[in-house]
């Protein structure tokens, strides 16, 4: 039963005009090219602090990192970057908007892959990582590109939180996150399955973990907020999400922060929205932790190609 499997969908819904991003998603994105089968393509691990373009290494000190993958064609000499991130920034993917006249919380949550020509060496090297991890053929790259298309069309919602029973290594995982690093790990695994052999280097990734007792299923938007819904539960969920709204003043921020501490830590409450369904998390110490843990590069299942 646990962890709850991430749900895949048949198509990507149109985005609502209400959902606006402060920074445009994938502004220079392009189609993934078809490589010549005999091409030899270097694959690079890319990692940098989240919002490095704005805050430099600030979030790197907290080990809050963003992951991507780079490619270099030996035949053409061209470089490419591929990453997966939120369409409307992290806050919108993590917490909803409470809109006037709407009973249900309104979510601006989608994530998607972005592919573009070039690798911004300075961005990845200055405060992060740019390192060769394997070499693949053009034919393998083209197969990977088909998989990326499928993955991108069916895995459409960003999930910020990993939810575990405790900080122990063998702890039960209730819910797994679905964010940038998970896309990179899936991409590496696909390349390994196609025959790529990865270098033996240490690779670490950021996870934001909530700690909870066994989650309690509450229902979906219709069953909770619909005409025959549970008015008391609906009010409790709206009340819980209210302090997470974007803040206008410093005073509002601290007032709402105290409300969050009261509910999550003192009253052990958290409402999670996952796979378009609501769950209640009975929170436990240490409540929340940001970890930067090692996840080894994968071992493939086919005949090898590469380093």
């Amino acid at each position: 039963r646990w962890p709850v499997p991430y749900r895949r969908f048949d198509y990507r819904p149109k985005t609502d005009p209400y959902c606006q991003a402060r920074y445009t998603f994938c502004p220079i994105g392009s189609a993934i090219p078809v490589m010549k089968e005999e091409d030899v393509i270097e694959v690079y691990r890319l990692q940098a602090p989240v919002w490095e373009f704005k805050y430099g290494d600030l979030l790197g000190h907290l080990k809050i990192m963003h992951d991507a993958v780079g490619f270099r064609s030996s035949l053409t000499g061209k470089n490419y970057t591929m990453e997966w991130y939120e369409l409307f920034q992290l806050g919108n993917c993590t917490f909803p908007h409470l809109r006037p006249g709407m009973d249900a919380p309104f979510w601006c949550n989608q994530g998607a892959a972005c592919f573009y020509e070039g690798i911004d060496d300075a961005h990845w090297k200055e405060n992060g990582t740019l390192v060769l991890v394997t070499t693949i053929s053009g034919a393998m790259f083209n197969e990977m590109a088909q998989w990326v298309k499928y993955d991108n069309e069916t895995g459409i919602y960003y999930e910020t939180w990993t939810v575990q029973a405790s900080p122990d290594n063998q702890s039960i995982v209730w819910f797994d996150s679905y964010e940038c690093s998970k896309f990179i790990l899936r991409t590496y695994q696909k390349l390994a399955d196609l025959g790529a052999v990865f270098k033996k280097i240490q690779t670490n990734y950021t996870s934001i973990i909530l700690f909870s007792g066994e989650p309690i299923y509450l229902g979906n938007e219709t069953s909770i907020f619909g005409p025959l819904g549970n008015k008391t539960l609906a009010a409790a969920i709206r009340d819980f999400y209210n302090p997470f709204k974007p803040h206008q003043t410093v005073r509002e921020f601290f007032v709402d922060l105290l409300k969050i501490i009261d509910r999550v830590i003192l009253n052990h409450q958290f409402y999670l929205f996952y796979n378009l369904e609501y769950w209640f998390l009975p929170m436990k110490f240490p409540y929340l932790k940001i970890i930067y843990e090692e996840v080894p590069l994968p071992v493939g299942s086919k005949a090898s190609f590469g380093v």
Side-chain angles (χ1 to χ4, degrees), residues 165-177:
S166 78
D168 299 339
N169 289 336
Q170 303 304 316
S171 168
I172 295 172
V173 176
W174 308 118
F175 301 91
D176 212 347
S177 59

Side-chain angles (χ1 to χ4, degrees), residues 87-103:
L87 268 64
F88 311 109
Q89 273 78 67
L90 182 60
N92 282 323
C93 291
T94 310
F95 299 108
H97 295 259
L98 301 178
R99 296 175 63 180
M102 295 179 66
D103 286 335

Side-chain angles (χ1 to χ4, degrees), residues 138-173:
M140 290 161 65
F141 179 92
N142 295 337
E143 284 196 64
M144 178 209 71
Q146 290 302 310
W147 169 83
V148 168
K149 185 173 184 292
Y150 157 79
D151 187 80
N152 197 48
E153 289 174 349
T154 61
I156 55 180
Y157 292 111
Y158 190 102
E159 300 290 353
T160 302
W161 312 108
T162 295
V163 186
Q164 290 182 193
S166 78
D168 299 339
N169 289 336
Q170 303 304 316
S171 168
I172 295 172
V173 176

Side-chain angles (χ1 to χ4, degrees), residues 46-149:
L46 308 177
Q47 189 176 69
V50 168
W51 287 36
E52 190 266 353
F53 66 92
K54 186 172 184 181
Y55 298 118
D57 194 29
L58 179 64
L59 293 174
H61 293 297
L62 301 174
K63 297 299 183 186
I64 302 177
M65 308 295 281
H66 174 67
D67 297 274
V69 60
F71 303 97
R72 182 182 181 277
S73 163
S74 297
L75 285 180
T76 67
K78 289 184 176 180
N79 297 323
Y80 303 93
T81 300
M82 184 170 73
E83 52 191 324
W84 196 95
Y85 60 99
E86 327 89 57
L87 268 64
F88 311 109
Q89 273 78 67
L90 182 60
N92 282 323
C93 291
T94 310
F95 299 108
H97 295 259
L98 301 178
R99 296 175 63 180
M102 295 179 66
D103 286 335
F106 183 83
W107 293 85
C108 291
N109 179 8
Q110 282 193 40
C114 176
F115 188 95
Y116 52 95
E117 187 173 335
I119 295 177
D120 183 351
D121 286 29
H123 169 70
W124 302 106
K125 278 183 178 177
E126 191 169 332
N127 296 309
T129 301
L130 194 164
V131 61
L132 179 71
V133 290
T134 190
T135 307
I136 61 174
S137 68
M140 290 161 65
F141 179 92
N142 295 337
E143 284 196 64
M144 178 209 71
Q146 290 302 310
W147 169 83
V148 168
K149 185 173 184 292

